[in-house]
Amino acid sequence: MTRRSLVLRGFLAGLMAFLLPGVPAPAHAQEGGVPDGPGRAESGREASARAPAAGAAVDERSRSGAGDGRIEPPQLVGGAEAEVPPEARAARQEGRVVLKLLIDAAGRVAEAEVVEPMGRGFDEAARAAALRFRFTPARRGGTPVASRILYAYEFRFPEESPAEPSSSAEGGAGVAATRTEGPRPAPAARPGQAKDAVPVEVTVRGGAMAERLRQSAQAIKVIETGQAKQRTADMGEVLARTEGVGVRRSGGLGSSTRFSLNGLSNDQIRFFVDGVPLDFAGFPFGIANVPVNLIDRVEIYRGVVPVRLGADALGGAVNLVTDQDVRGTHGAASYEVGSFDTHRLAATARHLHEPSGFLARVSGFLDYARNDYPVTVDVPDSDFVEHPARVYRFHDAYRAAGGGVELGFVNRSWARRLLLRAFLTAYDKEHQHKLGVMKVPYGEVTNGETTTGVALRYEQPLGRGVAIEAIGGYAYGRATFLDVSECTYDWYGHCSPGGKPGEDDTKPRDQVFWEHSGYGRLNLRFRPHPEHALQLSVSPMFVTRTGDERRQANPEGRDPLTADRGLVNWVHGAEHQLNLLDDRLENVLFVKQYVQFLRLEESVQGLADRFRRRDRDTHRLGVGDGLRYRFGEWLYAKASYEWARRLPRPDEVFGDGALIRAKLDLLPEASHNGNIGVTFDAPDSATGAWRLEANGYLRAAEDLIVLLGNGKISQYDNVFSARALGVEASARWTSPGEHVVLDGNVTYDDLRNTAEEGTFARYAGQRMPNRPWLFANGSARVQLREVAAPRDELALTWDTRYVHGYFLGWESNGRREDKASVPSQLLHSLALTYVARLAPRTLSFTVEAHNLTDEPAFDFYGVQRPGRAFFSKAMLEM
């Protein structure tokens, strides 16, 4: 029987296995086939088709148990010739290399990993050729989906043909020549099959990485930013549209932000970019101001954080994921302009040199906003009687710029990824008034920071089910704070000279801080069996800080900011993942250890010139578990728990050397975090695509760290405990044809003080003040296709957000009708987007109105946010 006939038989056997599951599996299939995670089915919607060799027995069994008969495997439609090593060509050496290919939903080979090497240069040659293959994508119910296959590239040379006369003039008449060709995939007996490339296994995945994460046992919410990149909303607004998430701001672009997740907030949540802490990744200005167009996906971990992040997160974590695609050449750029003199520019580009695997990637951004929006404030008249007046903010500008370069190698036999990234970022922010109080205007107070650093990342499967991921980096930061003005400003920007220096405090400050920090993370994953996976994680981090007050009250004394401060954190973790019942059940059990070492020089009270050194070390343990059970193809439930810890951050321990004292004996915060929820996800129903989620959560936190003070000197301390009970729900419907998309969510967050002793004991049982406890989001999108061109799209999107009113202070203080409060708010925005797809380019243009009805908007009491504003944005991708 010919090889072509064998290939055809193998293909037909695989197809029959899809249609008639239950045929006994071949030996290697029963043993698990590919040992590591990506090579096995990832969810209950996945199925695998196996054709282990030409003519061999085949097994295909649906992991969901039903409804997978419509799955079609990928088919090869375009091969590529391998560059055979010269020595092997001369010796006419033959053999085969087995590769694991990741084929995306467009039929392109995104990854190629050698799993059965041949050596002597054949592995690299086969892999380089496979990356140029083109397939028809795998399909589920007619919808293209990503898939993985094992593919055997066979190196076979044709029989030498009889010598033929050379047609070259230099050859002369009668001179014989023999032409030897290298192997190449060629069409076989039917379209999509190859003569010398035999498919040995196919695994169809249940969607992209975002969907895999959603359907895992992790307590996670995933936001894909494809449409957000075309819109003008910033990252803070994108996050605020998610259930359970609160983003409160004191002004416009670049303003200070309070981020909350299921009751806990700010430093109780950890932030990352591609698994690297946000501050170490070149974004010192906070998560709300990270340019959306540099991010592809947002992962929000609700109170239970996987060990691979190496985080001491009390209430959860947010991981911003940049473009992970490493194929070919790609570039994108966007420019936004709008009200309040806002300008935002972002660009990314990459190029992969396929023969060598060398990757170069660059990214950059430039942001500017004057933030001179109108506000209503109390302004005194000539008799010093205050009256409401509408004025424009005049000292609130924000400037930020940054860029990064990433170089390295990808998809080599010795490294799946080896990448070195360098970055430089700077920002400068003017302050219009004291944080959280819009009473006294400032005219010259500013702060800023410049951060630069490098990071090295290495990822590689080591064989036999073992894979390693390592990352290490260093960052240097220089921060400034300037408040030396002798002017007293009014709300119209007029300066009254002759006052004491310093607008924000009783004394001037001209401060500089220098910070050196380093971090590392080593993740080792081992899959001894298809149903079991083990992961170990080690994550050290160090920070050293010093500073200089250039306007000292006592020039002869030692500056307290010059004191040496050092902090080292270690977070270790071990995790076990179990998949049972054909992947219906997934459980992840983990333990963590938290270690912190502190070193501090502090001045001796009453002796400004004398300093003493103090040291402290802390050890804590944590544990957690995540469970997911799939009841059917469209319905699954999750439950998760973590006894979480947060180690004190440097600012809390060291103070600022001026107004905030050091507190070396701060205890780590602790919290019992629990989640339980259910998801109904029907993407292929006759009435359209439906996704319904409901989740309940508990956060029982202890030893919470709070800044206390007497108006002059402050200090952080462990003073109270709190308990959050909440429910959140979301619904999304996409009509057949995707002409209409409706989306909505609601969150109820009951966060109450449970302290029975200390400063807040008399408020036990009361709702925590100055925090929203009921909020909701909604959106409606109507889109038309082929409006003016074959692949264009026109979409009109309406967004709304409701926040119920809440008190500024404790409920028991004063009469309810006299209490200061933030009123209920209902804000709307409207966007019109046009997208033109002119392969290989995609161009989009958006015009958008924020706060469409010009409602007074407040995230903090008395601090007004921008009213109605208009923005436009253009984006080019190619």
Side-chain angles (χ1 to χ4, degrees):
M1 183 178 293
T2 65
R3 176 176 296 277
R4 183 168 299 182
S5 299
L6 291 173
V7 172
L8 181 58
R9 281 189 55 186
F11 171 75
L12 293 175
L15 185 60
M16 290 298 294
F18 273 96
L19 302 175
L20 300 173
V23 180
H28 86 277
Q30 296 172 352
E31 294 170 359
V34 181
D36 206 355
R40 60 185 295 282
E42 298 289 350
S43 77
R45 297 184 183 179
E46 297 161 1
S48 58
R50 303 177 186 270
V58 179
D59 174 41
E60 161 49 34
R61 289 174 290 184
S62 167
R63 288 192 176 270
S64 63
D68 287 338
R70 295 173 295 165
I71 294 180
E72 304 172 23
Q75 303 295 320
L76 181 68
V77 295
E81 181 177 352
E83 297 291 335
V84 182
E87 299 80 2
R89 182 184 295 274
R92 297 183 64 80
Q93 184 178 356
E94 297 181 339
R96 84 172 191 168
V97 177
V98 178
L99 307 108
K100 185 196 300 180
L101 306 182
L102 170 60
I103 302 169
D104 65 17
R108 297 183 294 258
V109 178
E111 297 177 9
E113 175 189 342
V114 176
V115 294
E116 291 185 17
M118 182 177 170
R120 300 187 180 183
F122 284 98
D123 302 342
E124 292 80 2
R127 185 182 170 282
L131 287 170
R132 300 195 298 273
F133 287 0
R134 290 304 300 266
F135 289 81
T136 60
R139 293 178 180 272
R140 187 198 308 112
T143 302
V145 294
S147 62
R148 285 190 185 273
I149 69 170
L150 287 181
Y151 221 89
Y153 198 113
E154 298 205 7
F155 290 83
R156 293 285 184 266
F157 288 87
E159 298 294 331
E160 292 189 0
S161 57
E164 298 178 357
S166 173
S167 60
S168 171
E170 295 180 1
V175 177
T178 301
R179 187 166 67 95
T180 304
E181 296 182 351
R184 73 182 71 181
R190 61 176 292 161
Q193 292 301 296
K195 176 179 179 181
D196 293 317
V198 182
V200 294
E201 178 179 354
V202 176
T203 302
V204 178
R205 302 195 305 168
M209 176 61 73
E211 192 60 31
R212 290 176 54 197
L213 290 171
R214 292 186 185 105
Q215 297 184 26
S216 71
Q218 301 176 67
I220 188 173
K221 177 73 176 183
V222 182
I223 306 172
E224 296 175 277
T225 62
Q227 292 183 0
K229 289 180 179 181
Q230 300 169 356
R231 301 272 302 275
T232 63
D234 60 15
M235 183 61 71
E237 184 64 28
V238 171
L239 294 171
R241 292 170 180 167
T242 307
E243 66 271 21
V245 174
V247 180
R248 302 166 63 194
R249 308 174 99 164
S250 61
L253 181 64
S255 61
S256 59
T257 302
R258 183 183 183 92
F259 181 95
S260 63
L261 174 62
N262 295 146
L264 300 181
S265 59
N266 284 357
D267 290 298
Q268 295 162 346
I269 314 299
R270 294 304 193 200
F271 302 100
F272 300 86
V273 176
D274 294 331
V276 177
L278 189 68
D279 291 342
F280 299 155
F283 299 101
F285 37 66
I287 191 169
N289 299 308
V290 174
V292 174
N293 286 73
L294 301 184
I295 306 301
D296 273 13
R297 183 176 75 245
V298 182
E299 302 167 357
I300 302 175
Y301 296 91
R302 297 162 163 162
V304 181
V305 181
V307 300
R308 67 175 181 274
L309 289 178
D312 60 323
L314 187 74
V318 178
N319 184 33
L320 306 179
V321 182
T322 62
D323 181 15
Q324 299 298 297
D325 196 345
V326 297
R327 297 166 298 167
T329 300
H330 178 268
S334 66
Y335 174 65
E336 175 185 335
V337 62
S339 299
F340 321 126
D341 202 13
T342 300
H343 301 267
R344 307 197 73 180
L345 176 68
T348 62
R350 72 166 185 269
H351 175 69
L352 174 66
H353 183 254
E354 294 186 1
S356 64
F358 179 76
L359 176 72
R361 181 156 44 196
V362 297
S363 62
F365 69 93
L366 177 65
D367 291 341
Y368 174 78
R370 186 176 296 175
N371 289 324
D372 55 346
Y373 58 90
V375 294
T376 300
V377 296
D378 291 331
V379 176
D381 58 20
S382 57
D383 296 326
F384 301 101
V385 178
E386 292 187 341
H387 301 277
R390 188 172 177 83
V391 300
Y392 289 85
R393 297 169 73 96
F394 62 90
H395 186 69
D396 200 24
Y398 169 73
R399 307 169 188 85
V405 178
E406 194 170 35
L407 303 173
F409 294 89
V410 297
N411 296 328
R412 299 286 88 190
S413 60
W414 40 271
R416 179 178 176 269
R417 294 196 179 192
L418 178 62
L419 299 171
L420 178 67
R421 179 176 181 263
F423 63 85
L424 173 65
T425 303
Y427 81 93
D428 181 75
K429 181 68 176 69
E430 298 175 352
H431 293 264
Q432 183 66 87
H433 49 75
K434 186 182 289 290
L435 178 64
V437 181
M438 201 171 67
K439 284 290 187 181
V440 179
Y442 299 154
E444 299 182 38
V445 180
T446 63
N447 82 293
E449 185 170 353
T450 300
T451 303
T452 185
V454 295
L456 180 66
R457 183 186 298 268
Y458 177 72
E459 300 175 12
Q460 175 66 356
L462 303 179
R464 298 185 179 275
V466 179
I468 186 174
E469 178 192 7
I471 186 170
Y474 163 80
Y476 165 76
R478 180 183 184 273
T480 61
F481 181 84
L482 182 64
D483 178 20
V484 297
S485 175
E486 297 181 2
C487 282
T488 300
Y489 285 88
D490 62 21
W491 276 108
Y492 299 100
H494 301 146
C495 166
S496 299
K500 293 182 179 180
E503 301 178 78
D504 187 55
D505 195 21
T506 56
K507 61 181 180 180
R509 286 187 287 171
D510 183 4
Q511 298 176 340
V512 182
F513 300 91
W514 297 276
E515 185 172 282
H516 299 267
S517 52
Y519 66 94
R521 188 175 67 247
L522 175 65
N523 288 333
L524 190 66
R525 185 175 180 85
F526 173 49
R527 187 178 289 277
H529 185 274
E531 296 177 344
H532 297 267
L534 301 174
Q535 182 160 290
L536 301 176
S537 177
V538 179
S539 302
M541 182 271 287
F542 78 86
V543 176
T544 64
R545 177 179 296 177
T546 187
D548 179 26
E549 173 58 79
R550 295 183 286 199
R551 295 287 294 265
Q552 291 191 67
N554 179 14
E556 303 299 326
R558 180 177 173 181
D559 181 2
L561 295 186
T562 63
D564 182 31
R565 303 171 177 89
L567 177 150
V568 176
N569 288 347
W570 286 80
V571 180
H572 318 284
E575 176 185 283
H576 173 256
Q577 179 178 327
L578 175 67
N579 293 77
L580 294 175
L581 307 177
D582 285 337
D583 206 35
R584 286 181 177 272
L585 184 146
E586 178 177 296
N587 189 81
V588 178
L589 175 67
F590 60 87
V591 294
K592 297 179 182 178
Q593 182 185 30
Y594 309 89
V595 181
Q596 185 176 69
F597 302 99
L598 296 172
R599 182 187 73 253
L600 170 66
E601 276 188 338
E602 63 178 0
S603 59
V604 179
Q605 189 171 3
L607 300 173
D609 294 332
R610 294 189 57 185
F611 285 72
R612 63 179 178 181
R613 175 167 172 164
R614 298 176 61 192
D615 300 282
R616 192 204 73 183
D617 60 89
T618 303
H619 302 263
R620 294 289 189 274
L621 290 175
V623 64
D625 187 86
L627 174 70
R628 185 222 66 212
Y629 184 79
R630 185 179 301 282
F631 297 97
E633 183 181 4
W634 292 353
L635 183 65
Y636 59 90
K638 292 185 181 184
S640 57
Y641 165 80
E642 181 176 359
W643 184 25
R645 307 280 189 167
R646 182 183 78 87
L647 301 170
R649 72 174 193 267
D651 286 346
E652 294 168 335
V653 176
F654 300 144
D656 64 1
L659 301 179
I660 303 177
R661 286 180 177 171
K663 179 70 172 178
L664 198 64
D665 57 351
L666 273 179
L667 299 175
E669 296 177 329
S671 181
H672 295 276
N673 300 335
N675 304 284
I676 185 168
V678 62
T679 299
F680 174 81
D681 187 10
D684 303 318
S685 73
T687 58
W690 294 87
R691 187 179 185 91
L692 309 175
E693 294 182 77
N695 182 58
Y697 59 86
L698 164 71
R699 306 289 183 265
E702 302 172 350
D703 295 323
L704 295 177
I705 298 173
V706 177
L707 181 63
L708 302 175
N710 58 11
K712 293 183 178 180
I713 297 297
S714 302
Q715 189 177 54
Y716 287 96
D717 207 345
N718 303 98
V719 294
F720 78 102
S721 58
R723 183 223 63 204
L725 280 174
V727 292
E728 55 191 23
S730 66
R732 182 181 179 90
W733 174 72
T734 303
S735 70
E738 300 184 359
H739 298 298
V740 179
V741 180
L742 302 179
D743 205 342
N745 61 70
V746 61
T747 301
Y748 173 78
D749 180 28
D750 188 26
L751 178 64
R752 295 184 178 269
N753 173 35
T754 58
E756 297 180 353
E757 59 183 19
T759 306
F760 301 107
R762 64 192 179 111
Y763 303 115
Q766 297 185 33
R767 178 174 282 128
M768 296 294 292
N770 198 23
R771 296 171 187 250
W773 53 273
L774 177 63
F775 50 92
N777 296 277
S779 71
R781 178 182 173 92
V782 179
Q783 54 192 18
L784 302 175
R785 291 190 171 92
E786 299 186 357
V787 178
R791 299 182 61 205
D792 69 352
E793 178 181 294
L794 182 67
L796 182 67
T797 307
W798 165 77
D799 293 291
T800 188
R801 177 172 175 81
Y802 172 77
V803 180
H804 194 69
Y806 51 94
F807 292 128
L808 178 64
W810 294 99
E811 295 175 338
S812 62
N813 287 346
R815 296 191 310 166
R816 188 179 186 89
E817 57 270 21
D818 296 332
K819 294 175 63 64
S821 64
V822 176
S824 298
Q825 300 168 68
L826 181 63
L827 306 178
H828 308 275
S829 66
L830 189 66
L832 181 66
T833 301
Y834 177 74
V835 181
R837 297 178 176 88
L838 307 171
R841 300 174 184 85
T842 299
L843 176 66
S844 68
F845 183 77
T846 296
V847 292
E848 188 162 0
H850 295 184
N851 194 353
L852 188 63
T853 56
D854 200 25
E855 293 292 322
F858 299 89
D859 283 345
F860 296 95
Y861 177 75
V863 180
Q864 193 170 336
R865 293 200 56 205
R868 184 189 294 119
F870 298 94
F871 298 87
S872 63
K873 184 176 185 178
M875 177 180 171
L876 174 65
E877 187 173 6
M878 55 188 303

